[in-house]
Amino acid sequence: MRANTFTSSTLGLLASLAAPIAAQDGPYFTIGSGMPVVLERLDPLLSAGKVSNHVHSVVGGNGFRPYMNFAQTQKSTCSTLPLIPDNSNYWMPALYYKSPHNGSFIRVPEQPYHKIYYKYGTHDSKFDLEQSEFPQEFRMITGNAMLRSDDGSMGSGGNQLNWKCHQPNYVTPSGTGFPTGFTSCNGGGLAATMRFPSCWNGQPFDPSKPQAHMAFPINQDGLAGCQAPYNVKRFPEIMIEYWLNTKSFDGDYGPNDNPWVLAQGDNTGFGFHMDFINGWKTGTLGKAMKSCNVGNTADPLDSSTCFGAGSLRTGAEQDACRVPNIVPEDVGLANPNSKDNSNTHGGILPHLPGCNPIQKGPQDATIQTGCSYSVATSFVAGADLGSQDGANIVGGTGSSGAVAKSSTKTSATTLSTSTSTSSKKTTTATTATTTTKAKSSPSATGSSSTGSGSSGGSITASDGSTWQLQGCYVDQLNPTRSLGSNPEWWGQQITASNCVDHCSKEGTSLSGTENGGQCFCGNTLVGSKQVDASQCKSACNGDASQICGGPARLSLYKKTGTKKERKHRHLARHVEAVS
C-alpha cells in the first residue's frame, strides 16, 4: 500500500477516527505518511545533539538528525510525506506491547497510513486570511510525556488527545488514555489523535519551557481567536492521526488487561505527545492556504489551486525513504519490507530502550537514571549529527549550519563468502570499515568451538563445516537489518555455536549473533562496518561463556570451508609431501 493512497475500506476506517474533525470548519488538506523515516532515541528539540530519553517514531524528511535547524531540513533528499515542498519532521513516542505472561516488550508496528491535517478555515467555511505560514526556524510540541493522569489540558480547548481501538462495524472503544474492554482491534488497529496549538507569542522555542511560546485558540476566527500575548501570529492548526498495527497481539491479552506502554514508560496513554519542526519551502504553504480546499472538494494536492503540478512524490519514493540509525541499541525495530506493508515486530526486548521503567502515576512521572542494565549514551562513531547553527533564530534563515561529522575515513572491505556447492546462495558481502583496524571480538567458546577466545577463533558446525570469526560489526537496523531482514531466532537460548549450526543448515555463508539473544543468517552484510571488539561484549543467553554481539552489534562468523573441502586440503598436503 502506498503511503498516500487509501482504499475505500481504509477511508471508512479513517472516517470513524476523524470524528473530531467535524469541528474542522472550512478549508483543510491532509497528507498521508507511510512507515517512519527512523525509529530511535532522538529528539532534537529537547535533547539536541544527545541521545534522548526514549524512542520516537519519526515521519518526514530524511534530513532528521540530533541537531536540527531549517537548513538541515532542506538537506532532505526524500521524505515519507507526499508533498515535495514539505521536508518537515513530525515525531511521537513509539508504542510497545508488554506481555501479560512474562513482562517482555515488543514494539507495536505502525500502520502505513498516518494522516496529518492542516486546518486554515473560518467557521463559515472560508479561508482564514489572517493565518500565516510558519517562520523558517519554527518548532513546537504538544502533549506532556510525563503525564500519567488527565490534568485538564486534553479537553476540547486543549490538544484533544484521543485513543481508539478500531473494531468491525465502527465499534471503537476510546478514551483520553488507553481504553480497555477488548481483546482485539481487528477493525483497523489502535490509533491516537492529537492537535497542536496554533497561536504564537513571537518568542523562540525554549527547551526549558517547551510550550511557553504557543497556545490553543478560543472559538473565534483569525487573530481574534488568539488571546494576548499569543496573538502575534496564528498558524494553521496541525492534527495528526497515529495508526498502529496490533494484529500480532490479538487474543494474547484479556479485556481487563492494559498491555500498551509508550516508550517513556507510560502505561496510561496520557503521556502521548508530538513534536514538529518546520521544513516547508518558504512561501509554498502560505500560498496554498489561500486557495487549497482539498478537505472539502477532494481535488488532488497537485492541482493548480494547491501545490501545483509536479509537487508530489511517488508512493515508492516515500516507502523507500529512511535514515540510518546512529544510536547503538535494539529498539525492537519492525521490518519495513513486509509483503503486505503492514509491518511485523522486530523482536522481544527485556526492557524499554533507555532507562524507562514503567511509572503508573497518577502523579507525574520523572526522568529515571541509574538503571541496572546497560543504556546507550552516545552515537556510533562518525555519525552525522546535523546542523546546529541558528537553531533558535525564529523567523530567520539561521547561519551556515555546519554539519558535525567525525573525521574518520572509511574504505571498502570485502568479506568473500564461501563458494561451497553445499551453500544455497553465493554472494559477496561488501561492508564499510574504518581505516583504523578494529580488534577482533572475543571468540565464542563451547562444545563446538575450536577458538580460544582470541582473534582467529572458529566454530565447527554439526555438519562439519568451519566458521571463522570476522569480528564485531554494526547492525544498521533501518531500513533493514544488516544481516537478514529479521532475526532467525529471538527470545530463545542463543549461543554463537548453535547460531552457526542453524545458519549452516539454512545454507547461508554468514552467521551473526546480537545483543545476547538474537541469531541472524545471510549471505550479504548490508550497510555495516567493523568496529572495535569492545562493542561486542554481550554474553549469550544460552551460554554465558560465549559472546553474542552487543546492542546493534553483530559477532560475525563466515563459513570458510566444508568437511569435504577440508579432507581435500588434507589429502593435497599429503600428496605434496611425497612428491
Side-chain angles (χ1 to χ4, degrees):
M1 180 186 297
R2 287 187 176 183
N4 57 339
T5 301
F6 303 99
T7 64
S8 58
S9 60
T10 301
L11 286 172
L13 285 171
L14 296 177
S16 69
L17 178 60
I21 298 179
Q24 286 188 160
D25 301 298
Y28 67 92
F29 65 81
T30 62
I31 49 181
S33 176
M35 294 305 169
V37 71
V38 71
L39 283 144
E40 194 152 35
R41 279 200 295 133
L42 291 183
D43 186 345
L45 270 60
L46 296 182
S47 302
K50 303 176 182 178
V51 177
S52 70
N53 170 260
H54 55 272
V55 176
H56 287 108
S57 176
V58 186
V59 300
N62 70 341
F64 189 79
R65 296 293 187 274
Y67 286 114
M68 290 294 294
N69 60 11
F70 182 76
Q72 182 64 37
T73 68
Q74 301 309 294
K75 293 179 182 179
S76 296
T77 57
C78 66
S79 176
T80 62
L81 302 172
L83 281 167
I84 292 175
D86 183 16
N87 283 322
S88 304
N89 288 109
Y90 313 74
W91 60 99
M92 57 286 295
L95 182 70
Y96 289 82
Y97 175 83
K98 183 181 181 183
S99 170
H101 311 296
N102 59 24
S104 61
F105 295 90
I106 300 175
R107 198 185 70 80
V108 181
E110 285 79 0
Q111 301 274 31
Y113 40 79
H114 303 320
K115 294 184 72 179
I116 302 172
Y117 294 78
Y118 273 74
K119 298 168 48 181
Y120 42 89
T122 63
H123 286 81
D124 57 355
S125 298
K126 296 179 181 179
F127 294 100
D128 191 338
L129 300 181
E130 292 188 16
Q131 293 192 24
S132 307
E133 69 176 15
F134 303 107
Q136 285 188 351
E137 298 295 347
F138 184 79
R139 67 280 310 278
M140 62 178 167
I141 292 175
T142 186
N144 182 349
M146 298 294 105
L147 283 184
R148 297 296 184 267
S149 60
D150 189 346
D151 67 345
S153 65
M154 296 170 278
S156 60
N159 60 43
Q160 298 179 1
L161 171 62
N162 187 261
W163 288 94
K164 285 188 178 181
C165 169
H166 290 265
Q167 299 176 339
N169 300 317
Y170 300 101
V171 176
T172 53
S174 62
T176 304
F178 292 133
T180 57
F182 53 89
T183 61
S184 171
C185 298
N186 59 351
L190 184 67
T193 59
M194 180 176 267
R195 69 171 185 160
F196 285 87
S198 55
C199 296
W200 182 45
N201 65 5
Q203 297 300 307
F205 176 85
D206 182 351
S208 67
K209 297 178 290 182
Q211 299 188 45
H213 66 315
M214 296 296 295
F216 288 96
I218 58 175
N219 193 28
Q220 293 184 45
D221 298 329
L223 281 175
C226 294
Q227 295 179 304
Y230 298 96
N231 56 350
V232 174
K233 281 190 178 181
R234 183 170 179 172
F235 302 128
E237 181 180 298
I238 300 175
M239 192 187 86
I240 299 179
E241 297 175 0
Y242 179 54
W243 286 75
L244 296 143
N245 183 354
T246 58
K247 184 177 180 180
S248 298
F249 316 108
D250 287 357
D252 190 58
Y253 56 95
N256 296 320
D257 291 329
N258 182 19
W260 318 114
V261 183
L262 291 170
Q264 71 271 28
D266 173 20
N267 68 345
T268 70
F270 292 117
F272 190 70
H273 54 283
M274 294 181 174
D275 297 44
F276 166 75
I277 187 163
N278 177 45
W280 282 93
K281 182 179 178 180
T282 304
T284 56
L285 180 59
K287 180 180 179 182
M289 287 164 54
K290 295 178 172 62
S291 58
C292 186
N293 203 20
V294 171
N296 293 334
T297 67
D299 288 338
L301 285 172
D302 59 353
S303 66
S304 59
T305 58
C306 292
F307 295 94
S311 60
L312 294 179
R313 299 179 175 93
T314 65
E317 289 172 332
Q318 291 175 250
D319 292 341
C321 191
R322 297 290 184 271
V323 174
N325 288 67
I326 60 174
V327 180
E329 66 182 353
D330 189 353
V331 298
L333 185 70
N335 172 19
N337 299 319
S338 56
K339 293 181 180 179
D340 64 357
N341 204 22
S342 63
N343 251 336
T344 55
H345 64 72
I348 296 175
L349 302 176
H351 49 75
L352 294 171
C355 189
N356 289 294
I358 291 177
Q359 299 182 68
K360 299 179 180 180
Q363 67 276 10
D364 285 2
T366 56
I367 298 294
Q368 300 293 298
T369 59
C371 283
S372 59
Y373 46 84
S374 177
V375 176
T377 57
S378 58
F379 302 114
V380 299
D384 179 355
L385 302 185
S387 300
Q388 55 182 305
D389 295 339
N392 285 323
I393 302 176
V394 178
T397 58
S399 55
S400 59
V403 179
K405 291 185 177 180
S406 167
S407 60
T408 304
K409 297 181 180 180
T410 61
S411 60
T413 296
T414 300
L415 293 174
S416 298
T417 62
S418 171
T419 56
S420 167
T421 56
S422 66
S423 178
K424 294 179 181 177
K425 296 180 181 179
T426 303
T427 313
T428 298
T430 302
T431 67
T433 183
T434 58
T435 53
T436 302
K437 186 177 180 180
K439 298 178 182 178
S440 298
S441 63
S443 172
T445 57
S447 60
S448 61
S449 172
T450 60
S452 63
S454 60
S455 177
S458 65
I459 293 176
T460 301
S462 60
D463 62 4
S465 61
T466 56
W467 295 69
Q468 191 72 29
L469 179 66
Q470 303 301 301
C472 184
Y473 282 78
V474 171
D475 183 356
Q476 68 171 1
L477 302 180
N478 190 19
T480 62
R481 309 303 285 261
S482 290
L483 185 61
S485 59
N486 269 319
E488 294 280 336
W489 294 350
W490 40 261
Q492 303 183 46
Q493 296 300 301
I494 301 296
T495 67
S497 303
N498 67 19
C499 183
V500 158
D501 210 40
H502 174 71
C503 294
S504 189
K505 292 175 182 177
E506 289 292 303
T508 65
S509 52
L510 295 174
S511 170
T513 53
E514 182 173 324
N515 206 25
Q518 295 182 344
C519 171
F520 293 84
C521 302
N523 293 310
T524 304
L525 197 61
V526 178
S528 183
K529 65 180 179 180
Q530 189 174 11
V531 294
D532 191 84
S534 63
Q535 297 186 34
C536 284
K537 57 183 179 181
S538 296
C540 301
N541 62 11
D543 182 349
S545 69
Q546 298 189 34
I547 295 297
C548 284
R553 297 294 183 268
L554 290 161
S555 291
L556 186 71
Y557 284 81
K558 182 184 72 173
K559 190 174 187 178
T560 57
T562 65
K563 185 175 182 180
K564 182 177 180 181
E565 289 171 339
R566 291 203 313 277
K567 286 182 177 180
H568 286 170
R569 289 195 295 269
H570 182 70
L571 177 61
R573 286 195 294 270
H574 278 285
V575 171
E576 290 171 358
V578 299
S579 61

